[in-house]
Amino acid sequence: MKSLQLFRIAELSQLLKNKSLPLSWGLLFALQASAQEKAFDEAEYRLSPLFGGPMNTIAGMTEWARDINHVYGVTTIVAVLVFLAVSIPLIITLYKFRVKEEDLTNLRPPKQIHGNALLEITWTIIPFILLLFIAVPTWQVIFKQPDEPPPGAMVVKVIGHQWWWEFQYPELGITTANELHLPAETPVFFVISSADVIHSFWIPQFGGKVDALPGTNVDNHLYYVTPALRNSDAVGGEVYQGQCVELCGLSHALMRFEAIVHKQDEFDRWAKTFNTAPVVASEPEKRGEMLFAQCQVCHTISGTASEDLEKQMLSMSPPVAKQGPNLTDFGNRRTLGAGTRKNTEENFIRWVKDPQSIKPGATMTPFDTLSDDELRSIAAYLRFSTAKKF
Amino acid sequence: MAKNLPRTGIISWLTTVDHKRIGIMYAVTALIFLLFGGTEAMLMRTQLIIPNNNFLSAGTFNGLVTLHGTTMIFLFVMPLSAAFFNYLTPLMIGAADVAFPRLNALSYWIFLFGGLLLNFSFVTGLLPDGGWFNYANLTGKQYSPSHAIDFWLLGVQVVGLASLIAAVNFFVTILNMRCKGMTLLKMPIFVWTTLVTQVLLILSLPVITVALFMMTFDRTFGTGFFDPGAGGQVIMWQHLFWIFGHPEVYILILPAMGMVSEILPTFSRKPLFGYSVMVYSSCAIGFLGFAVWAHHMFTTGLGPWAQALFSAATMLIAVPTGVKIFNWISTLWGGQLRFTTAMLFAVSFIAMFTMGGLSGIMHSSPPIDYQHQDSYFVVAHFHYVLYGGAVMALFGGIFYWFPKVTGYYLSETLGKIQFWLYMFGFNMTFFPMHFMGLEGMPRRIFTYASDQGWNFWNVLSSLGAYTTAIGGIVFFVNIFWSLKSGKKASHDCWDGRTLEWTLSSPPPEYNFAIDPEVRSLDDWWHQKYDGEGNKRTARVQPDVDPSTKHVPNPSFWPMVLAFGILVLASAPFFDAQGIPLALAGVVIMLVATYGWSFEEA
Amino acid sequence: MSAHEDVVHSTVTGVDNRKLSMWVLIASECFLFGSLIVNYLINRDRGLAGPTARQIYDIDITTLSTFDLLMSSVAMVLALHACQNRELQKFRFWTGMVVLGGVIFLGFQFYEFSHFVHLGLGLTTNVFGSSFYLLTGCHGAHVFLGVLWMSSILATSFVRGENWFPSLPLEVAGLYWHFVDVVWIIIFTVVYLFVYI
């Protein structure tokens, strides 16, 4: 992926400065100054690649993504050829037949040619042939997606919510949010649906997107074999980014997630320990457990009273699902608020006090009556301190 | 009553039924809405110039996304095309007016009121925020409880009604009111693309009407057509919307293609290459346009067979489109090319539209669409088609026909400055969006993180947008300057080929003093030049005493009837209290209809 | 019904502008009702609560109202014939019969709707009900408009006196009326009869 980073912002900005064209940067800093808070990490901004970013569609990591890119490659070649076939004659024509306005009065009009059947038939037939080059690989790829999970594939249920992602592993009894853990080189069959409005599930480097629709019998599917690890010793997995790509309301832009690919044994360890109840030993942890009682109306942590409450709610008629994401193993997550902030204690406290300041329209109630101390206890209970981070 | 209405002053504009005046009103209104849509675009590009910006709030941004798309399509490109239909169709076919002059005025007033209703959302602060496609069920009462979405629903419904009425009118005008000798295959190509556009409107608008009614019922009366909780289906909206929405794309582009096909021959002094093939390809595009709607839905789980069929149908559209492009180039080949501003815009249309068309072919392939759908790549694609294509051609049309309409040329110097600002700014704005899309930037996001690789492209894109904005200002300056001190235009100011150039600039209210008769395609050209290209004397239309010519009487009723429709359409905003308002609207409509019926036309 | 109703402008196609525009409008209406019918067919069995189509339809009454609407189309033909032959009494009588047929049909529809509501199928009960009311209601609105149009012609006839024979406006109104009738035949088949297969 490094090789794809042809340019870097920093170099370009240098270039622009040398050419004394600071207009863009002047504007940037003016805007930045107008922002109420520090708009972005400047180092990150400068290092941001031009090509090969974390959401790029070109560096396909799965066979599915490479199949798509194969079609895209063929089509791009055809498109470039056609563009040349149009633009070169066009430019030649424009150059060759230009006439000065003042010469025009002395010129007799050119021969009035009304058409040429042979030529017109030719450029009707050629597109047909070119289109076949696109159509054949297209149809080959369309029919590659299976309807049912192939034998041996791991099933993952993906459920879109306003504005976060729920991931369920029915075979492993795991429910988590905004962080999709996958074992490397494993066939995975995603069953994609929505709890409220239409969302769209997309991990660009793994292949195309699939819409998450609300309603019964409208689940969509997606199947591929997860990529191999680029670095086989990677600890903590390799991270890929995903995002919702269907306008789903106010914070559509902040409905991100991460897919983390692990070595098989690391994934197994994660799956095995995921549902163990939090250790409640220290004083803050005990206090946090107590305070969490008011969170459990919406959130569940496996192996605690909140899980019993969830079971109770689901057995009611009609069943009531909890509104918020499952928080089991929360301290281990890399991000918070569906990929919008790093999952630090500081961000956690800000989130609980005023979630809407991070994510406009978030349905979570702001708990601004809790003191920082109390929030730190909850953080402790949520395993911030004892997080394994693999 | 109608006979005594004044023929000059403000009242005369409010009551006019003259197709030329209505055309001017359409154009002026469309250009004002362009300012709205353009400002919305600038605000969005400013928000996106840096990551994590808080120049706009999430809600405002989503509202601007929605209004920008809706305004540009329904309140700018469509009515500006309608302005040309209005002004030019009767002149090009040698008719005194359209088939139903008062109905024509009605279309304009309904359109204006619909546009105002949509934009009234700015006054209330409730911006519709469901996107220009307004996908259910996000736009249902449950997830959008305020009246914001209703502005979109009812605004578009009203504007759609205006288009439907106008479409019936123009269809009948073109078929029934051609002058002597003008058989279908002797009509100017712009009249042909207009005709195909009207057919598309007539057949596609009822589908969106039904969809809008269903959603209005969902939101106002509590039905559940698009609510999965009540047994409805969200995907149903998408089907209905795109059965309309895809023909709509050709409704936007076909008039532009027609204009380019008029401008290129004039400034190359050669007839359009392959006229009949151009006609057939327009019809083919229109026909195929109805068979491809589901290519907007490749990621919704249609199943492989539906995807294969819709992708094949979509790819087929490339064939008639490709034929057109090569025929335009052949029109230029061997000509005597004059690079007026109109010509520059028309030529740039060919290039920009080709690029948009080629990225369109990419998206006809579902696998590629899986990656590009709802990413900035699609934004790049349709702006190349609708902006680089339709809008560039419309500007070409404005520069070409402005002298006919006003009697003054637009300044060529300012025009060329605008053109280059547009070309440069447009490509700077939208070419980087291909890269943003390939880098995975989703559409309609109000913000993005700084580590995504989207930063540089967004800066470039925003600066390009500002450049086009400067071009837009130059254009408006040009209009005012030229109206005040522009060069005066003669009858046949560009050495044109079609009937409107036989008239004075501007044409008299009655259009043709002598009923024209044509013997061939480009009849006016053949009157001016013999087979060898030697100039011969050709007579332009004389001016006669207007009182000897019958022109339709002005009328208040179209505006009153349109107002009744506006009153009826505003009823849902008042919930249960809206019932008297709805009744009032119906009463106004009835009174206007009867007044209209018994008035002397 | 403008002042020029008897003047038939010569047109290129030979079809009067008003008549051609009605044909065009009918083409558009085909897509309108087509969308509504398809929507109905998709939603017919998707109601989650309330009565179903099979439980609620009363085929006898609907057959009667269909017959009534068909007869009003016959009256339309006779009215036009009389108008073209300048037979004032017949023209007024048959025009009145068209109006009456339309009003009776609307009466049937009013009865049907209130009966269905009584049986527990309101507009918002389920998507089947919503689609049904939207489709038949939209058709009813068209019939209502036709009734308004035809009664205006009838009233004008009394105002204008015995030398007023608006053949062309009546022909255009007839086109509309027959179309609305044809749509009902389709609705009757697709909505009421398809339940039994």
Side-chain angles (χ1 to χ4, degrees):
Chain A
M1 208 161 76
K2 269 259 153 58
S3 61
L4 276 166
Q5 298 176 9
L6 301 177
F7 306 98
R8 281 174 181 278
I9 286 285
E11 278 98 306
L12 260 163
S13 97
Q14 208 53 49
L15 249 168
L16 284 165
K17 270 179 195 156
N18 292 345
K19 291 244 188 308
S20 67
L21 265 174
L23 176 66
S24 64
W25 302 100
L27 256 165
L28 270 179
F29 291 120
L31 277 164
Q32 200 180 355
S34 79
Q36 288 151 17
E37 59 178 307
K38 196 167 177 304
F40 50 80
D41 186 325
E42 209 170 301
E44 230 173 35
Y45 184 87
R46 278 167 177 275
L47 286 172
S48 177
L50 279 184
F51 295 102
M55 290 273 285
N56 85 82
T57 59
I58 298 304
M61 297 303 291
T62 65
E63 203 190 322
W64 174 236
R66 284 190 289 270
D67 283 343
I68 292 175
N69 281 344
H70 170 67
V71 186
Y72 178 60
V74 173
T75 314
T76 308
I77 291 168
V78 173
V80 169
L81 288 178
V82 174
F83 184 71
L84 293 178
V86 171
S87 55
I88 293 173
L90 180 63
I91 290 167
I92 292 174
T93 313
L94 293 179
Y95 183 76
K96 194 169 152 132
F97 296 103
R98 75 199 187 285
V99 170
K100 280 205 177 96
E101 185 89 46
E102 50 270 28
D103 298 342
L104 206 65
T105 41
N106 307 321
L107 280 173
R108 264 206 266 173
K111 194 154 176 275
Q112 303 288 298
I113 303 158
H114 287 275
N116 182 321
L118 190 68
L119 268 178
E120 289 172 76
I121 291 170
T122 312
W123 55 58
T124 311
I125 292 173
I126 290 176
F128 270 113
I129 298 166
L130 284 177
L131 285 174
L132 279 180
F133 281 97
I134 303 173
V136 173
T138 291
W139 293 330
Q140 283 172 339
V141 174
I142 294 174
F143 286 93
K144 274 195 176 177
Q145 278 288 329
D147 276 347
E148 300 277 320
M154 182 169 95
V155 175
V156 178
K157 284 185 78 175
V158 176
I159 303 166
H161 295 260
Q162 274 182 324
W163 295 275
W164 54 279
W165 292 97
E166 181 174 344
F167 301 113
Q168 296 178 356
Y169 303 71
E171 293 141 11
L172 304 170
I174 288 176
T175 300
T176 181
N178 301 329
E179 213 173 80
L180 178 63
H181 292 268
L182 297 168
E185 294 170 272
T186 308
V188 185
F189 187 82
F190 295 96
V191 180
I192 299 155
S193 64
S194 166
D196 37 49
V197 301
I198 304 175
H199 302 278
S200 196
F201 174 75
W202 191 30
I203 309 166
Q205 289 189 291
F206 289 5
K209 60 187 70 69
V210 175
D211 288 358
L213 304 175
T216 42
N217 301 323
V218 289
D219 291 356
N220 279 325
H221 311 295
L222 182 61
Y223 169 79
Y224 41 68
V225 179
T226 54
L229 291 169
R230 283 180 293 239
N231 168 10
S232 56
D233 307 323
V235 176
E238 287 173 351
V239 181
Y240 295 88
Q241 270 192 34
Q243 187 159 355
C244 173
V245 273
E246 185 67 82
L247 179 62
C248 56
L250 204 56
S251 276
H252 162 57
L254 301 176
M255 187 168 163
R256 305 167 191 161
F257 65 99
E258 286 181 340
I260 305 171
V261 179
H262 300 276
K263 282 185 286 196
Q264 185 67 48
D265 58 336
E266 196 175 80
F267 178 81
D268 291 341
R269 206 159 60 232
W270 171 80
K272 209 171 145 198
T273 55
F274 183 84
N275 277 335
T276 45
V279 188
V280 184
S282 70
E283 201 49 47
E285 283 165 358
K286 282 179 187 158
R287 197 156 156 232
E289 184 182 30
M290 235 164 61
L291 286 163
F292 192 78
Q294 54 191 313
C295 310
Q296 64 180 357
V297 182
C298 295
H299 299 282
T300 294
I301 293 176
S302 287
T304 68
S306 61
E307 194 182 7
D308 302 333
L309 179 67
E310 181 170 43
K311 281 180 185 148
Q312 244 175 27
M313 286 164 68
L314 286 173
S315 65
M316 292 196 307
S317 171
V320 179
K322 285 195 179 180
Q323 293 294 306
N326 187 305
L327 293 183
T328 311
D329 203 30
F330 180 76
N332 250 330
R333 292 190 196 160
R334 291 162 39 89
T335 67
L336 167 146
T340 46
R341 286 286 194 282
K342 288 198 174 75
N343 193 14
T344 60
E345 202 174 81
E346 186 188 313
N347 282 335
F348 169 78
I349 290 170
R350 182 172 157 204
W351 172 267
V352 178
K353 280 189 154 175
D354 190 4
Q356 285 74 22
S357 73
I358 293 179
K359 186 180 284 194
T363 46
M364 177 162 159
T365 322
F367 285 88
D368 42 9
T369 49
L370 292 173
S371 69
D372 283 9
D373 207 35
E374 286 171 320
L375 286 166
R376 264 189 285 276
S377 321
I378 299 179
Y381 175 66
L382 290 171
R383 295 194 202 175
F384 269 96
S385 50
T386 56
K388 300 178 292 288
K389 304 287 180 204
F390 300 98
Chain B
M1 162 188 158
K3 270 186 171 167
N4 305 326
L5 287 167
R7 301 274 170 153
T8 51
I10 294 271
I11 300 286
S12 75
W13 285 92
L14 297 180
T15 58
T16 186
V17 295
D18 176 8
H19 71 97
K20 296 181 289 302
R21 283 185 160 206
I22 294 172
I24 293 169
M25 278 155 48
Y26 261 113
V28 170
T29 316
L31 289 174
I32 291 171
F33 281 128
L34 167 66
L35 288 176
F36 278 63
T39 311
E40 283 150 16
M42 293 311 132
L43 291 173
M44 288 191 290
R45 280 310 332 160
T46 306
Q47 164 71 7
L48 292 176
I49 194 167
I50 48 168
N52 296 321
N53 201 356
N54 52 14
F55 173 70
L56 298 173
S57 72
T60 312
F61 187 90
N62 291 354
L64 293 178
V65 166
T66 306
L67 284 164
H68 169 73
T70 312
T71 303
M72 287 303 198
I73 289 168
F74 292 101
L75 306 182
F76 168 53
V77 175
M78 275 175 83
L80 194 54
S81 303
F84 285 100
F85 302 157
N86 262 288
Y87 204 96
L88 294 173
T89 327
L91 301 185
M92 282 182 161
I93 61 174
D97 206 312
V98 293
F100 304 102
R102 286 179 299 175
L103 216 52
N104 202 18
L106 177 66
S107 303
Y108 170 75
W109 290 111
I110 299 180
F111 149 70
L112 176 67
F113 290 149
L116 292 179
L117 180 61
L118 179 69
N119 279 290
F120 194 71
S121 55
F122 278 111
V123 180
T124 61
L126 298 170
L127 300 187
D129 54 1
W132 91 278
F133 50 86
N134 209 48
Y135 272 5
N137 57 341
L138 173 64
T139 50
K141 205 77 185 165
Q142 188 182 354
Y143 299 104
S144 299
S146 81
H147 277 299
I149 296 294
D150 297 323
F151 282 112
W152 187 88
L153 284 176
L154 294 153
V156 172
Q157 183 78 286
V158 172
V159 170
L161 181 66
S163 294
L164 182 66
I165 296 171
V168 173
N169 204 348
F170 286 112
F171 183 88
V172 175
T173 305
I174 292 171
L175 282 194
N176 264 358
M177 302 187 60
R178 281 166 284 142
C179 67
K180 211 169 164 198
M182 189 173 279
T183 56
L184 286 175
L185 283 178
K186 284 179 191 154
M187 295 197 306
I189 188 77
F190 176 71
V191 178
W192 256 110
T193 56
T194 304
L195 183 67
V196 177
T197 306
Q198 308 316 318
V199 174
L200 291 178
L201 283 165
I202 287 162
L203 301 182
S204 68
L205 280 169
V207 183
I208 190 73
T209 304
V210 167
L212 292 169
F213 265 125
M214 285 162 68
M215 194 177 273
T216 309
F217 270 51
D218 273 10
R219 291 182 54 86
T220 310
F221 304 122
T223 55
F225 291 114
F226 305 119
D227 175 12
Q233 299 168 86
V234 290
I235 224 67
M236 186 75 184
W237 168 267
Q238 299 192 13
H239 280 292
L240 290 172
F241 184 83
W242 289 116
I243 290 174
F244 153 78
H246 201 79
E248 171 68 22
V249 176
Y250 300 114
I251 290 166
L252 299 171
I253 198 71
L254 277 170
M257 289 175 162
M259 282 176 218
V260 167
S261 308
E262 296 291 345
I263 296 169
L264 295 179
T266 297
F267 295 115
S268 6
R269 304 180 96 197
K270 267 185 75 210
L272 183 64
F273 192 87
Y275 166 84
S276 50
V277 174
M278 292 299 251
V279 170
Y280 299 140
S281 64
S282 299
C283 298
I285 291 173
F287 179 77
L288 286 171
F290 274 98
V292 298
W293 78 87
H295 72 213
H296 296 267
M297 300 165 61
F298 280 149
T299 62
T300 58
L302 294 168
W305 283 103
Q307 291 189 12
L309 289 174
F310 277 107
S311 75
T314 308
M315 286 175 193
L316 276 184
I317 292 187
V319 176
T321 314
V323 171
K324 274 179 181 294
I325 288 169
F326 283 107
N327 276 357
W328 284 322
I329 296 176
S330 308
T331 306
L332 297 171
W333 181 267
Q336 293 160 357
L337 309 184
R338 259 189 297 167
F339 289 103
T340 58
T341 311
M343 179 69 157
L344 288 174
F345 273 112
V347 168
S348 76
F349 167 90
I350 304 178
M352 297 299 99
F353 179 76
T354 302
M355 288 185 66
L358 289 170
S359 55
I361 292 173
M362 292 179 173
H363 303 147
S364 72
S365 168
I368 303 176
D369 190 76
Y370 299 156
Q371 284 287 28
H372 291 179
Q373 161 91 344
D374 273 326
S375 78
Y376 261 84
F377 201 97
V378 172
V379 182
H381 156 66
F382 71 75
H383 279 96
Y384 266 89
V385 176
L386 294 181
Y387 188 168
V391 176
M392 290 304 231
L394 283 165
F395 274 111
I398 292 176
F399 276 87
Y400 184 51
W401 280 292
F402 191 86
K404 176 54 59 194
V405 175
T406 63
Y408 297 97
Y409 286 95
L410 281 168
S411 155
E412 283 289 310
T413 316
L414 287 177
K416 282 177 181 158
I417 293 172
Q418 181 207 349
F419 170 78
W420 287 111
L421 283 171
Y422 261 49
M423 268 308 271
F424 193 73
F426 167 79
N427 283 296
M428 189 166 156
T429 312
F430 295 106
F431 202 80
M433 287 190 186
H434 291 110
F435 299 127
M436 291 183 209
L438 293 176
E439 286 295 306
M441 180 164 169
R443 285 171 79 174
R444 309 184 183 103
I445 52 171
F446 74 91
T447 188
Y448 53 93
S450 56
D451 56 354
Q452 299 293 307
W454 305 335
N455 303 339
F456 175 71
W457 303 120
N458 274 294
V459 172
L460 212 57
S461 185
S462 295
L463 293 179
Y466 301 146
T467 313
T468 38
I470 299 169
I473 294 167
V474 172
F475 171 70
F476 282 100
V477 169
N478 194 352
I479 287 188
F480 288 113
W481 184 85
S482 302
L483 283 176
K484 217 169 140 251
S485 32
K487 200 170 99 193
K488 273 208 173 276
S490 60
H491 285 64
D492 190 11
C493 52
W494 299 119
D495 197 11
R497 314 177 71 90
T498 40
L499 283 178
E500 75 270 29
W501 304 110
T502 63
L503 296 167
S504 59
S505 307
E509 193 181 352
Y510 52 81
N511 293 353
F512 296 91
I514 305 165
D515 286 345
E517 185 181 342
V518 300
R519 278 163 300 274
S520 62
L521 183 66
D522 292 342
D523 189 71
W524 175 234
W525 176 270
H526 295 298
Q527 285 185 41
K528 290 188 289 186
Y529 298 96
D530 67 12
E532 270 72 56
N534 298 313
K535 210 159 169 70
R536 53 188 181 195
T537 36
R539 277 211 318 263
V540 294
Q541 287 274 340
D543 286 324
V544 295
D545 177 13
S547 60
T548 61
K549 302 294 281 186
H550 172 78
V551 289
N553 288 317
S555 171
F556 262 120
W557 294 118
M559 194 174 51
V560 177
L561 181 48
F563 182 71
I565 291 170
L566 176 67
V567 172
L568 177 63
S570 10
F573 292 99
F574 298 90
D575 302 312
Q577 285 83 47
I579 294 167
L581 203 60
L583 289 175
V586 172
V587 169
I588 298 174
M589 282 160 67
L590 280 177
V591 169
T593 310
Y594 280 97
W596 174 316
S597 301
F598 292 105
E599 175 186 62
E600 198 173 331
Chain C
M1 281 180 299
S2 73
H4 296 287
E5 64 268 339
D6 291 334
V7 187
V8 179
H9 294 286
S10 67
T11 63
V12 176
T13 57
V15 183
D16 181 81
N17 283 347
R18 282 165 282 181
K19 214 155 120 187
L20 185 60
S21 64
M22 182 48 73
W23 279 113
V24 177
L25 195 68
I26 285 173
S28 189
E29 294 266 357
C30 285
F31 273 68
L32 184 91
F33 280 106
S35 311
L36 287 169
I37 290 170
V38 169
N39 176 55
Y40 168 82
L41 286 176
I42 288 170
N43 282 337
R44 190 183 67 187
D45 302 319
R46 293 181 60 91
L48 300 178
T52 63
R54 203 182 269 263
Q55 290 165 355
I56 204 165
Y57 287 160
D58 186 339
I59 194 72
D60 299 338
I61 288 183
T62 317
T63 309
L64 263 180
S65 71
T66 306
F67 180 75
D68 164 69
L69 202 61
L70 272 175
M71 286 306 109
S72 80
S73 252
V74 175
M76 189 77 207
V77 173
L78 294 170
L80 181 62
H81 186 73
C83 183
Q84 282 163 345
N85 290 340
R86 303 181 74 82
E87 296 171 283
L88 185 67
Q89 294 311 319
K90 279 192 181 171
F91 157 56
R92 284 181 181 168
F93 174 76
W94 287 117
T95 308
M97 290 309 283
V98 176
V99 174
L100 187 67
V103 170
I104 293 175
F105 179 83
L106 289 174
F108 271 119
Q109 196 164 45
F110 181 77
Y111 167 76
E112 187 192 36
F113 281 12
S114 47
H115 183 59
F116 284 3
V117 170
H118 182 71
L119 291 177
L121 185 77
L123 175 66
T124 59
T125 309
N126 57 34
V127 280
F128 151 64
S130 308
S131 311
F132 170 81
Y133 285 117
L134 191 67
L135 170 58
T136 53
C138 180
H139 180 267
H142 278 75
V143 174
F144 179 73
L145 206 68
V147 167
L148 221 58
W149 191 351
M150 290 305 289
S151 33
S152 308
I153 290 179
L154 189 59
T156 315
S157 171
F158 284 103
V159 174
R160 291 286 184 89
E162 52 201 47
N163 283 321
W164 189 70
F165 290 101
S167 299
L168 198 84
L170 199 63
E171 208 182 331
V172 176
L175 271 178
Y176 174 82
W177 193 260
H178 295 313
F179 169 73
V180 171
D181 199 359
V182 168
V183 169
W184 181 255
I185 308 275
I186 295 166
I187 292 176
F188 180 65
T189 314
V190 172
V191 174
Y192 292 90
L193 294 183
F194 276 16
V195 177
Y196 297 97
I197 50 173

